[in-house]
Amino acid sequence: VRLPRAEAARRNAIQANWLQLDEGHHRLMCHAGSYTVLPALGECEAQGRTLGEFVDAGLLGVAVQDHGRITES
């Protein structure tokens, strides 16, 4: 079943939280993977990106969240 991107991202995030497939991060005080990895996966699939581009997108998303947390401290 193919869903629109926004709906697929929403459902993936809900399932990640529900199934506890996310990870914690001591500096972020959140589960960054739920907010970055699953949306990156969906977008990369929709755009036909490579595995390497997906990994880069996920890491960049966590780094952006990390930077925001550090500057708030």
Side-chain angles (χ1 to χ4, degrees):
V1 173
R2 282 250 188 237
L3 297 172
R5 289 181 193 177
E7 181 63 15
R10 185 183 74 80
R11 289 185 186 195
N12 282 339
I14 289 169
Q15 289 179 359
N17 259 342
W18 178 57
L19 296 172
Q20 297 182 3
L21 296 176
D22 51 3
E23 82 304 329
H25 189 288
H26 67 281
R27 285 179 35 196
L28 296 180
M29 302 299 289
C30 71
H31 299 281
S34 292
Y35 312 128
T36 58
V37 175
L38 295 173
L41 178 61
E43 278 302 307
C44 287
E45 179 185 12
Q47 294 179 22
R49 303 294 180 159
T50 66
L51 176 61
E53 290 171 316
F54 159 66
V55 171
D56 288 345
L59 291 173
L60 179 60
V62 173
V64 167
Q65 289 185 37
D66 187 38
H67 179 70
R69 175 72 179 143
I70 292 169
T71 58
E72 291 174 9
S73 300

